[in-house]
Every structure is written in C-alpha cells, then in structure tokens.
Amino acid sequence: MTGSSADRTARTGVVLVNHDSAEDTVGCIASLEASHDLDMDVVVVDNSDSPASLAALRDLIGDRAAVVSSGGNLGYAGGSNVGIRQCLERGNEFVWLLNPDTRIEPETLPRLLELLAEVPDCGVVGPRLVHPAAPGSPETVWFDGGIVDEDKAGETRHLHQGRPTGKVPAPVARDVDYVTGASLLTRRTVLETVGLLPEDYFLYFEETHWCRDVRRAGWRVMVDQRARMLHHQRSSGALPSPYHLYYMTRNRYLFVERALGGDGEAALAQLEGKWLKNWRRKVEATAPAWLDEFDALVVRAGADARAGRDGRNDEVSHVPWPADVDRSGDEVGRR
C-alpha cells in the first residue's frame, strides 16, 4: 500500500473506525495488504472516549496506516467523517469505508473499482458480505444489497441475509436502495456534491439516509455480488445490546420522517409488530427479569424520536445487562 507517502496520491482512501477493536482493525489492515490493488491510503480513526486508546493503537499499527483521533466516540458517521475528510485532503479519488471486523479478499477492491469504471453514473458500490462457515453450519450471506420497503413504513432489510451462499442466485451487479456502511465505496465527487454522512443518528440508518440522498442527486447505488468479503459474527448471545435496541428503534422513526418524508408513527407500529415483538419474546424466554427494562427502553426510544432527540444518548449507552445473559449486538460505531 502507498501508506502516507507525501510524494504521490493514492487512488483509494480507506477509512477504518476503531472503537475498542484494535485486534479486529489490525486484522482488517492485514487483509488490505493482501489486496491485488495496493494503490490505497489507510486511515484508522480512533473513535474512543479513552485518552489511552490512541497511543496504544498507534503503537500496535505502526506505519502500516495513518492513525488519527476523533476526539471521542462520535458514533459511526462522526468517526467515519473524520476519516473521509482526511481522504479528501489527501486527494484520494475514491473513499472506502470498512468495518474493522471485515476481511477483504484479494479481488474485492479491483472488482468494485471495475464496476465504477464501467458504470460512470454509479456513485456508491458495495460487495457481497458473508459470514464464514463454522462447524456444523455453512457460509451464509449477511449482505447482498439493502432494501427499503416504503410499503412497510420504511422497513429495511438485507437481500438474501442468512441464506447459504450455495443456495442463492448467481452473483450479479444490481441497483439497491442502500449499501451497508460495513463496506461502502464511493467517489470523491459524490462526497463533494452530496456531502458527508449525516451525524444526527449516531448509530444505525446514517448510511441508509445518505444513500437515499445520493440517489436523489442522480447517482446510482449498487452492489456487485461478485466482489466478496467476510464479516465476522458477533457474540451468539440471546439478546441485543440495549443501545442496539434503543438506536434501531429511535432512528427508524427519524429515518422515515427525515429521509422518506413518511409517517414515523407508522414506522414504530410496524417495528413493534415484527422486530420488537420477536426480541421481546426472546427476552421473556431468556431473561424475564429484564422485561420491564426492555419495555421502558422501547418507550424511551419512541418518546425521544417524537421529541426529535437525536445524536448520542449517554443515558442509554450504559444500561446494565442481565447478569446471566450473554451480550450480543454490534459495538457502538460499527455496523
């Protein structure tokens, strides 16, 4: 990789947002170093509230990437935007947002860049992301394209999610409603005309909203399923993290009202009738002592959404877990 060389501009700037995930970040960098396209700068954004995190991360990564601080946990979009600005300042032609817990394949970047060259009005492209095979279970699709169903009050879903890769249609390049922020490649011209990611969500729905803005600006948003990469699964615990529950609920309402011009109440009703109902059943079966807290958190998310409260909510970020239940869900600032 070109690293931070001052005598040339790399074609692609890569942004990794690190939040207490140094081992994952280093693993992702190692996969980038095995790419068949090494014409890239890598920027790691330390998105931690810990003062010691930045120095430790720089010691661990060395000169393999530029490491910068966000100044605290700004959420996914805030941390990503710090890295995006770095890439724009460096003159990178393309910017690739990656989760630290992803691993690219050697042909991932070349295939994505090839599609952008072949489709000049494509402004954003992502690959197929798969969960690796495990003992007793096959490799499965995690993301094959994002769908926003406006007939279901803005319900979002991943195409082919959970299906074995051997049992889905042959991979193609196709238009989608959004690309997951776990692996999103865009042009600098898109960022310069549409703007950076919206930071008011803090976590979840920001890339979905941004891709909507990209499409409104006349660009196509696509997934090339022939480009692959791995997305490592989190804990297999029975419950979502409290902040996952809160931000997914609150931000679904905000997304539908702000990005779609739709009915936030209808969005909450749809969410409660399906997604929240399923999680509540699992809480009731696995940790009934947490049920009142679960219900209160859902009520708070809805109230905050109706009040237009957005951004980071520290009162929710540290809701305690039941002592007898494994934790699950994504870390703050990650997909």
Side-chain angles (χ1 to χ4, degrees), residues 107-126:
E107 286 296 328
T108 305
L109 180 57
R111 283 189 180 275
L112 295 178
L113 290 173
E114 182 179 11
L115 184 135
L116 290 178
E118 293 174 349
V119 187
D121 62 342
C122 176
V124 178
V125 65

Side-chain angles (χ1 to χ4, degrees), residues 143-288:
F143 181 82
D144 243 356
I147 298 170
V148 178
D149 192 339
E150 295 192 46
D151 291 334
K152 294 183 178 179
E155 181 184 58
T156 59
R157 64 182 184 273
H158 292 186
L159 184 66
H160 300 150
Q161 186 172 28
R163 295 178 61 182
T165 53
K167 295 185 178 181
V168 297
V172 296
R174 56 170 290 165
D175 290 270
V176 295
D177 292 324
Y178 68 94
V179 168
T180 174
S183 177
L184 183 157
L185 181 66
T186 187
R187 304 175 191 267
R188 73 173 292 119
T189 51
V190 173
L191 293 163
E192 290 170 341
T193 55
V194 177
L196 306 188
L197 300 178
E199 298 184 13
D200 46 348
Y201 292 98
F202 186 70
L203 183 65
Y204 308 125
F205 285 98
E206 52 273 276
E207 79 272 51
T208 316
H209 187 151
W210 185 76
C211 284
R212 186 84 176 184
D213 290 342
V214 170
R215 294 176 68 211
R216 282 184 180 141
W219 295 94
R220 294 171 68 180
V221 175
M222 302 183 70
V223 161
D224 190 340
Q225 299 163 352
R226 299 166 298 180
R228 287 174 30 108
M229 56 191 297
L230 296 180
H231 184 278
H232 290 290
Q233 297 189 52
R234 296 276 152 233
S235 164
S236 59
L239 304 179
S241 66
Y243 57 75
H244 179 77
L245 178 67
Y246 172 82
Y247 287 113
M248 284 292 288
T249 302
R250 186 197 73 177
N251 290 351
R252 169 70 179 280
Y253 183 109
L254 297 178
F255 167 73
V256 167
E257 289 215 329
R258 295 178 181 182
L260 304 183
D263 183 351
E265 293 299 330
L268 281 187
Q270 197 277 340
L271 196 71
E272 289 171 356
K274 186 175 181 181
W275 190 78
L276 288 170
K277 184 178 181 179
N278 289 339
W279 277 123
R280 195 178 191 279
R281 284 201 198 100
K282 293 181 180 181
V283 171
E284 192 171 23
T286 309

Side-chain angles (χ1 to χ4, degrees), residues 3-17:
S4 58
S5 173
D7 60 356
R8 67 185 303 275
T9 298
R11 190 181 188 196
T12 304
V14 181
V15 178
L16 295 169
V17 178

Side-chain angles (χ1 to χ4, degrees), residues 61-79:
I61 293 176
D63 62 359
R64 300 169 72 184
V67 181
V68 299
S69 174
S70 66
N73 186 2
L74 305 182
Y76 169 76

